[in-house]
Amino acid sequence: MEPFNSYLNFNRGEILSNCNIVVRHLSDMEGMYYDLEATQKIINEDDRVIYKVYNIDVPEKYGHLQHCTSIIYPGRVGDEFHMTKGHFHAQEDTAEIYLVLQGTGKLLMQKKDTEVKILDMQSGSISYIPPYWAHRTINTGNKPLIFFAVYPGEAGHNYGIIESKGFCKLIIDKDGQIKVIDNPNY
Ligand code: S6P
Ligand code: ZN
């Protein structure tokens, strides 16, 4: 394989070449926000885009490095802030690095024994997600949250556990304050 450059628009988070784009509407995340009524209402109205991921094309193999940007648009579903689905890596002993380019948010992480860690995300923050931690990103601000991620080629994604149980904590807007609460459905 030959070396190559890609180009990132720092303000918009878009990568302009060598890329595939994942667009997640709310309907792609049904059941992941705890307010099911608010979810259904938004899906029926405009099924808004919650986030996009610009993935640079690299072989999903040991020795390579996957790299991408994620853009989470600001907003809430009920009182829960816009967020990613969240996942474990399929190859669980693989880590990841997130570098925030713009916006503010939280990085919610959880191990299988339900130990939880939440880190702040802001422009310039570099978060290290060690092996074995599931991770979800939440936009708690009023601008897009844009971050660049790098992780091992073979890591893959396991969404199943999070799709069925969620995380044990939720991050919500309570009267204009960011609050971490227990997930009533966990
Ligand atoms: C990949 C990395 C991110 C997420 C992206 C969307 O390992 O953690 O690129 O894929 O932020 O989140 P999700 O949970 O829908 O894949
Ligand atoms: Zn990941």
Side-chain angles (χ1 to χ4, degrees), residues 79-123:
D79 57 10
E80 202 173 358
F81 291 105
H82 281 186
M83 62 186 186
T84 58
K85 290 173 80 161
H87 57 270
F88 285 92
H89 287 164
Q91 193 69 47
E92 292 183 355
D93 58 353
T94 54
E96 180 152 7
I97 290 171
Y98 283 178
L99 163 64
V100 178
L101 307 175
Q102 234 190 81
T104 52
K106 302 279 182 196
L107 174 54
L108 170 61
M109 288 168 283
Q110 180 174 318
K111 288 214 279 197
K112 287 207 167 134
D113 64 5
T114 74
E115 183 183 353
V116 168
K117 180 82 187 172
I118 301 171
L119 295 178
D120 288 326
M121 299 178 80
Q122 62 193 52
S123 175

Coordinates of all heavy atoms in Angstrom, one line a residue, residues 79-123:
D79 N -34.7 15.2 27.4 CA -33.7 16.0 28.1 C -32.3 15.4 28.0 O -31.4 15.8 28.6 CB -34.1 16.2 29.6 CG -34.3 15.0 30.3 OD1 -34.0 13.9 29.8 OD2 -34.8 15.1 31.5
E80 N -32.2 14.4 27.1 CA -30.9 13.7 26.9 C -30.1 14.4 25.7 O -30.7 14.5 24.7 CB -31.1 12.2 26.7 CG -30.0 11.3 27.0 CD -30.4 9.9 26.9 OE1 -31.5 9.5 26.6 OE2 -29.5 9.0 27.1
F81 N -28.9 14.7 26.0 CA -28.1 15.4 24.9 C -27.8 14.4 23.7 O -27.7 13.2 24.0 CB -26.8 15.9 25.5 CG -26.9 17.0 26.4 CD1 -26.7 16.8 27.8 CD2 -27.1 18.3 26.0 CE1 -26.8 17.8 28.7 CE2 -27.2 19.3 26.9 CZ -27.0 19.1 28.2
H82 N -27.7 15.0 22.5 CA -27.3 14.2 21.4 C -26.0 13.4 21.7 O -25.1 14.0 22.3 CB -27.1 15.1 20.2 CG -28.3 15.5 19.5 ND1 -28.3 16.2 18.3 CD2 -29.6 15.3 19.8 CE1 -29.6 16.5 17.9 NE2 -30.4 15.9 18.8
M83 N -25.9 12.2 21.2 CA -24.8 11.3 21.5 C -24.6 10.3 20.4 O -25.5 10.1 19.6 CB -25.1 10.6 22.8 CG -26.3 9.7 22.7 SD -26.8 9.0 24.3 CE -28.1 7.9 23.8
T84 N -23.5 9.6 20.5 CA -23.2 8.5 19.6 C -23.9 7.2 20.1 O -24.2 7.2 21.3 CB -21.7 8.2 19.4 OG1 -21.1 8.0 20.6 CG2 -21.0 9.4 18.7
K85 N -24.0 6.2 19.3 CA -24.5 4.9 19.8 C -23.6 4.4 20.9 O -24.1 4.0 22.0 CB -24.6 3.9 18.7 CG -25.6 4.2 17.6 CD -25.5 3.2 16.4 CE -26.1 1.9 16.8 NZ -26.4 1.2 15.5
G86 N -22.4 4.4 20.7 CA -21.4 3.8 21.7 C -21.2 2.4 21.4 O -22.0 1.7 20.9
H87 N -20.0 1.9 21.7 CA -19.6 0.5 21.4 C -18.4 0.1 22.2 O -17.6 0.9 22.7 CB -19.2 0.4 19.9 CG -18.1 1.4 19.5 ND1 -18.3 2.6 19.1 CD2 -16.8 1.2 19.5 CE1 -17.2 3.2 18.8 NE2 -16.2 2.4 19.1
F88 N -18.3 -1.3 22.3 CA -17.0 -1.9 22.6 C -16.3 -2.1 21.3 O -16.9 -2.2 20.3 CB -17.2 -3.2 23.3 CG -17.7 -3.2 24.8 CD1 -19.0 -3.2 25.1 CD2 -16.7 -3.1 25.8 CE1 -19.4 -3.1 26.4 CE2 -17.1 -3.0 27.1 CZ -18.5 -3.0 27.4
H89 N -15.0 -2.2 21.3 CA -14.3 -2.7 20.1 C -14.5 -4.2 20.1 O -14.5 -4.9 21.1 CB -12.8 -2.3 20.2 CG -12.6 -0.9 19.9 ND1 -11.4 -0.2 20.2 CD2 -13.4 0.1 19.4 CE1 -11.6 1.1 19.9 NE2 -12.8 1.3 19.4
A90 N -14.7 -4.7 18.8 CA -14.9 -6.2 18.7 C -13.6 -6.9 19.2 O -13.7 -7.9 19.8 CB -15.1 -6.5 17.2
Q91 N -12.5 -6.4 18.9 CA -11.2 -6.8 19.4 C -11.0 -6.0 20.7 O -10.6 -4.9 20.7 CB -10.1 -6.6 18.4 CG -8.8 -7.2 18.6 CD -8.9 -8.7 18.4 OE1 -9.4 -9.2 17.4 NE2 -8.4 -9.5 19.4
E92 N -11.4 -6.6 21.8 CA -11.6 -5.8 23.1 C -10.3 -5.2 23.6 O -10.3 -4.3 24.4 CB -12.3 -6.6 24.1 CG -13.8 -6.9 23.7 CD -14.5 -7.6 24.8 OE1 -13.9 -8.0 25.8 OE2 -15.7 -7.8 24.6
D93 N -9.2 -5.8 23.3 CA -7.9 -5.4 23.8 C -7.3 -4.3 23.0 O -6.1 -4.1 22.9 CB -6.9 -6.5 24.0 CG -6.7 -7.3 22.7 OD1 -7.3 -7.0 21.7 OD2 -5.8 -8.2 22.8
T94 N -8.1 -3.5 22.3 CA -7.6 -2.3 21.5 C -8.0 -1.0 22.1 O -9.2 -0.8 22.5 CB -8.1 -2.5 20.1 OG1 -9.5 -2.6 20.0 CG2 -7.4 -3.6 19.4
A95 N -7.1 -0.1 22.1 CA -7.4 1.3 22.7 C -7.8 2.3 21.6 O -7.9 1.9 20.4 CB -6.1 1.8 23.4
E96 N -7.9 3.5 22.0 CA -8.3 4.6 21.0 C -7.9 5.9 21.6 O -7.9 6.1 22.8 CB -9.8 4.5 20.7 CG -10.3 5.5 19.7 CD -11.6 5.0 19.0 OE1 -12.1 4.0 19.3 OE2 -12.0 5.7 18.0
I97 N -7.7 6.9 20.7 CA -7.4 8.3 21.1 C -8.4 9.2 20.4 O -8.6 9.1 19.2 CB -6.0 8.7 20.7 CG1 -5.0 7.9 21.6 CG2 -5.7 10.2 20.9 CD1 -3.5 8.0 21.2
Y98 N -9.0 10.1 21.2 CA -9.8 11.2 20.6 C -9.2 12.5 20.9 O -8.8 12.9 22.0 CB -11.2 11.2 21.4 CG -12.2 10.1 21.1 CD1 -13.4 10.1 21.7 CD2 -12.0 9.2 20.1 CE1 -14.4 9.1 21.5 CE2 -12.9 8.2 19.8 CZ -14.1 8.2 20.5 OH -15.1 7.2 20.2
L99 N -9.1 13.3 19.8 CA -8.6 14.7 19.9 C -9.7 15.6 19.5 O -10.2 15.5 18.4 CB -7.4 14.9 19.0 CG -7.0 16.3 18.7 CD1 -6.6 17.1 19.9 CD2 -5.9 16.4 17.6
V100 N -10.2 16.5 20.4 CA -11.3 17.4 20.1 C -10.8 18.6 19.3 O -9.8 19.3 19.7 CB -12.0 17.9 21.3 CG1 -13.2 18.8 21.0 CG2 -12.6 16.6 22.1
L101 N -11.5 18.9 18.2 CA -11.1 20.1 17.4 C -12.1 21.2 17.7 O -11.7 22.4 17.6 CB -11.3 19.7 15.9 CG -10.5 18.5 15.4 CD1 -10.9 18.1 14.0 CD2 -9.0 18.7 15.6
Q102 N -13.3 20.9 18.1 CA -14.3 22.0 18.3 C -15.4 21.5 19.1 O -15.8 20.3 19.1 CB -14.9 22.4 16.9 CG -14.8 23.8 16.6 CD -15.7 24.1 15.4 OE1 -16.9 24.2 15.5 NE2 -15.0 24.2 14.3
G103 N -16.0 22.4 20.0 CA -17.2 22.0 20.7 C -16.8 21.5 22.1 O -15.7 21.4 22.5
T104 N -17.9 21.2 22.8 CA -17.7 20.6 24.2 C -18.6 19.4 24.4 O -19.7 19.4 23.8 CB -18.1 21.7 25.3 OG1 -19.4 22.2 25.0 CG2 -17.1 22.8 25.3
G105 N -18.2 18.5 25.3 CA -19.0 17.3 25.5 C -18.4 16.5 26.6 O -17.5 16.9 27.4
K106 N -18.9 15.3 26.6 CA -18.4 14.3 27.6 C -18.1 13.0 26.9 O -18.9 12.6 25.9 CB -19.5 14.0 28.7 CG -20.0 15.2 29.4 CD -19.1 15.6 30.6 CE -19.7 16.8 31.3 NZ -18.6 17.4 32.2
L107 N -17.1 12.3 27.4 CA -16.8 11.0 26.9 C -17.1 10.0 28.0 O -16.5 10.0 29.1 CB -15.3 10.9 26.5 CG -14.7 9.6 26.2 CD1 -15.5 8.9 25.0 CD2 -13.2 9.8 25.8
L108 N -18.2 9.2 27.8 CA -18.7 8.3 28.8 C -18.1 6.9 28.4 O -18.2 6.4 27.3 CB -20.2 8.2 28.7 CG -21.0 7.2 29.4 CD1 -20.8 7.3 30.9 CD2 -22.5 7.3 29.1
M109 N -17.4 6.3 29.4 CA -16.8 5.0 29.2 C -17.3 4.0 30.3 O -17.5 4.5 31.5 CB -15.3 5.2 29.3 CG -14.7 5.9 28.0 SD -13.0 6.4 28.2 CE -13.2 7.8 29.2
Q110 N -17.3 2.8 29.9 CA -17.8 1.8 30.9 C -17.2 0.4 30.6 O -17.1 0.0 29.4 CB -19.3 1.7 30.8 CG -20.0 0.7 31.7 CD -21.5 0.8 31.6 OE1 -22.1 1.8 31.6 NE2 -22.1 -0.4 31.6
K111 N -16.8 -0.2 31.7 CA -16.2 -1.6 31.5 C -17.3 -2.6 31.7 O -18.4 -2.3 32.2 CB -15.1 -1.8 32.5 CG -13.8 -1.0 32.2 CD -12.6 -1.8 32.5 CE -12.3 -1.7 34.0 NZ -10.9 -2.0 34.3
K112 N -17.0 -3.9 31.4 CA -18.1 -4.9 31.5 C -18.5 -5.1 32.9 O -19.7 -5.5 33.1 CB -17.6 -6.2 30.9 CG -17.5 -6.1 29.4 CD -17.7 -7.5 28.7 CE -18.0 -7.3 27.2 NZ -17.2 -8.1 26.4
D113 N -17.7 -4.8 33.9 CA -18.1 -4.9 35.3 C -18.9 -3.7 35.8 O -19.1 -3.5 36.9 CB -16.9 -5.2 36.2 CG -15.9 -4.0 36.2 OD1 -16.2 -2.9 35.6 OD2 -14.8 -4.1 36.8
T114 N -19.2 -2.8 34.8 CA -19.9 -1.5 35.0 C -19.2 -0.4 35.7 O -19.8 0.6 36.0 CB -21.4 -1.7 35.6 OG1 -21.2 -2.0 37.0 CG2 -22.1 -2.8 35.0
E115 N -17.9 -0.6 35.9 CA -17.1 0.6 36.3 C -17.2 1.7 35.2 O -17.2 1.4 34.0 CB -15.6 0.2 36.4 CG -14.7 1.3 36.9 CD -13.3 0.9 37.0 OE1 -12.9 -0.3 36.8 OE2 -12.4 1.8 37.2
V116 N -17.5 2.9 35.7 CA -17.7 4.0 34.7 C -16.7 5.1 34.9 O -16.3 5.4 36.0 CB -19.1 4.6 35.0 CG1 -19.4 5.9 34.3 CG2 -20.2 3.6 34.6
K117 N -16.4 5.8 33.8 CA -15.5 6.9 33.9 C -16.0 8.0 32.8 O -16.4 7.6 31.7 CB -14.1 6.5 33.5 CG -13.0 7.6 33.5 CD -12.5 7.9 34.9 CE -11.6 9.1 34.9 NZ -11.3 9.5 36.2
I118 N -16.1 9.2 33.2 CA -16.5 10.3 32.3 C -15.5 11.4 32.3 O -15.1 11.9 33.3 CB -17.9 10.9 32.8 CG1 -18.9 9.8 33.0 CG2 -18.3 12.0 31.9 CD1 -20.2 10.2 33.6
L119 N -15.0 11.7 31.0 CA -14.0 12.7 30.8 C -14.7 13.9 30.1 O -15.6 13.7 29.3 CB -12.9 12.2 30.0 CG -12.0 11.1 30.6 CD1 -11.0 10.6 29.6 CD2 -11.4 11.5 31.9
D120 N -14.2 15.1 30.4 CA -14.6 16.3 29.7 C -14.0 16.3 28.3 O -12.8 15.9 28.2 CB -14.2 17.6 30.4 CG -15.0 17.7 31.7 OD1 -16.2 17.4 31.7 OD2 -14.5 18.2 32.7
M121 N -14.7 16.8 27.3 CA -14.2 17.0 26.0 C -14.3 18.5 25.6 O -15.4 19.1 25.8 CB -14.9 16.2 25.0 CG -14.9 14.7 25.2 SD -15.8 13.7 24.0 CE -14.7 13.7 22.6
Q122 N -13.2 19.1 25.2 CA -13.2 20.5 24.8 C -12.1 20.6 23.8 O -11.2 19.8 23.7 CB -13.0 21.4 25.9 CG -11.7 21.2 26.6 CD -11.7 21.9 28.0 OE1 -12.6 21.7 28.8 NE2 -10.6 22.7 28.2
S123 N -12.1 21.7 23.0 CA -11.1 21.9 22.0 C -9.7 21.7 22.6 O -9.4 22.3 23.6 CB -11.3 23.4 21.4 OG -10.3 23.6 20.5

